[in-house]
Amino acid sequence: MKRLLSTFALAGAFGLSAFGAQAATLDQVKAKGFVQCGVSQGLPGFSNPNDKGEWTGLDVDFCRAVAAAVLGDATKVKFTPLSAKDRFTALQSGDIDILSRNTTWTISRDTSLGLNFTGVTYYDGQGFLIRKDKNVNSALELSGASVCTQTGTTTEQNVADFFRANKMEYEVIAFATADETIKAYDSGRCDVYTTDRSGLAAERLKLTNPDDHIVLSEIISKEPLGPVVRHGDDQWFDIVKWALFAQVNAEELGITSKNVDDMLKSENPEVKRIVGTEGKFGEGLGIGNDWAFQIVKQVGNYGEMYDRNVGPDTPLKLARGTNALWSKGGLQYAPPIR
């Protein structure tokens, strides 16, 4: 009895608990009629406003996938741009329902912030961007370099580990926002710019002369990027997690936004379970049984989402690589819907 009372006391001290605190995220989303999604302050290909002020990108589209699953309408999303420093606080406080902001999954973030990572939308690794006229071919030639990076990110820790492990000297020049960091690099305040390689491809587009810069070949870290939700709400955690799994499974089965209507007639049991003509898997999530159908219909499968935002035919020109399906040599693999 004493232990039970202590458990409730501890839960009360934090203002939430596994017994149902914040367990109303789905109800809150349905009541207000939209998903509040935390995104970056502007990273092309991932979360960035276009010329019309409309948010676009891989992280943005994933939030739309959740809205399609929960509300049946992928447009029912509002976006909150957040700095790296403020992103976790915004989620912890309930200001946003999902953080979908090129955020690396690490043990400390997973266990000490009261948050849950729901999967990996992009497998990445940290690299270095440098001017071609520096005539540097390897990151191992960067001893004595000044390095621009952003505060509140894993990149600061990774670059420190890399230089220490290789017994090289360096000077770090850190900034609060990504825009400040890339502008400082562009103006010559540092020799090299470091962040996730996908971020380098995106930020390179903002430079005065993008073609004057190259990304070095070394990858110095693992950066699994994915959406984040609060601890204490397993239902919302499941919804966000399975939204991604549905997109990956749909690609594997060849279900696309263009053919998903025809797939309603399919006799393939796996296809039937995704499009909702067999089983009641939405009920277990607390949403409609056509939840995965709506995701693919309105947003697309994982491959469509990838190709549209960061793929080879976009300005970022990022090959699938490790983000290919497991059946095609990549790491994208989803548990089955059954």
Side-chain angles (χ1 to χ4, degrees):
M1 183 66 177
K2 181 181 292 186
R3 180 175 296 178
L4 182 60
L5 290 172
S6 298
T7 301
F8 277 105
L10 181 62
F14 283 95
L16 55 87
S17 77
F19 300 105
Q22 300 295 346
T25 306
L26 176 60
D27 293 337
Q28 292 169 4
V29 167
K30 287 181 176 179
K32 63 188 178 184
F34 61 87
V35 175
Q36 193 74 46
C37 180
V39 293
S40 76
Q41 293 168 310
L43 185 65
F46 288 86
S47 49
N48 195 56
N50 62 19
D51 294 339
K52 298 178 182 178
E54 301 165 333
W55 283 92
T56 64
L58 186 74
D59 290 336
V60 166
D61 275 356
F62 181 73
C63 285
R64 292 193 172 118
V66 174
V70 173
L71 301 171
D73 188 341
T75 68
K76 300 296 186 181
V77 185
K78 292 186 179 181
F79 298 98
T80 301
L82 297 165
S83 69
K85 180 181 178 182
D86 297 332
R87 55 185 161 173
F88 299 122
T89 304
L91 183 59
Q92 291 163 337
S93 66
D95 289 344
I96 57 175
D97 303 310
I98 307 171
L99 177 65
S100 185
R101 187 205 176 283
N102 55 292
T103 298
T104 301
W105 190 348
T106 70
I107 186 172
S108 57
R109 290 174 173 177
D110 208 23
T111 60
S112 65
L113 298 178
L115 305 176
N116 277 328
F117 282 79
T118 63
V120 179
T121 50
Y122 192 92
Y123 288 96
D124 210 344
Q126 187 171 330
F128 296 95
L129 182 72
I130 194 167
R131 294 165 184 79
K132 290 179 180 178
D133 61 17
K134 293 285 186 181
N135 295 316
V136 171
N137 298 310
S138 167
L140 295 175
E141 301 172 27
L142 292 176
S143 185
S146 55
V147 182
C148 279
T149 189
Q150 188 180 355
T151 57
T153 65
T154 57
T155 59
E156 285 183 290
Q157 302 162 19
N158 294 333
V159 76
D161 288 347
F162 175 77
F163 277 86
R164 184 175 62 181
N166 289 287
K167 296 180 173 57
M168 300 191 302
E169 299 293 327
Y170 78 107
E171 176 190 6
V172 66
I173 305 176
F175 299 88
T177 69
D179 275 347
E180 289 177 311
T181 311
I182 194 64
K183 286 177 182 177
Y185 168 75
D186 199 20
S187 68
R189 290 185 61 186
C190 53
D191 300 315
V192 64
Y193 174 55
T194 186
T195 190
D196 301 340
R197 286 172 65 88
S198 64
L200 294 178
E203 298 289 6
R204 180 174 171 273
L205 300 174
K206 300 177 182 179
L207 297 173
T208 304
N209 298 297
D211 291 339
D212 292 345
H213 306 260
I214 59 169
V215 177
L216 298 178
S217 60
E218 284 89 353
I219 298 174
I220 68 168
S221 69
K222 293 185 293 184
E223 305 294 326
L225 310 179
V228 194
V229 296
R230 287 180 293 277
H231 274 171
D233 189 342
D234 286 350
Q235 182 186 44
W236 187 246
F237 175 52
D238 288 343
I239 289 171
V240 177
K241 177 171 54 179
W242 280 95
L244 175 60
F245 292 160
Q247 289 184 296
V248 173
N249 279 319
E251 181 183 8
E252 186 175 343
L253 290 167
I255 309 172
T256 71
S257 58
K258 295 180 176 60
N259 68 19
V260 69
D261 285 323
D262 292 334
M263 290 292 183
L264 291 170
K265 306 169 188 173
S266 174
E267 292 302 319
N268 182 322
E270 290 183 282
V271 172
K272 289 167 71 74
R273 289 193 288 268
I274 285 185
V275 299
T277 55
E278 179 176 297
K280 296 182 179 180
F281 301 101
E283 286 186 8
L285 297 170
I287 54 181
N289 287 319
D290 65 343
W291 62 281
F293 170 87
Q294 294 297 340
I295 290 174
V296 179
K297 172 80 172 177
Q298 299 184 48
V299 181
N301 65 33
Y302 177 80
E304 289 179 284
M305 186 171 69
Y306 185 101
D307 290 342
R308 178 169 60 243
N309 292 297
V310 300
D313 295 329
T314 69
L316 271 66
K317 296 180 171 57
L318 296 174
R320 283 292 289 271
T322 52
N323 289 289
L325 294 177
W326 69 280
S327 55
K328 295 184 178 180
L331 298 175
Q332 287 294 350
Y333 180 104
I337 296 175
R338 63 175 52 202

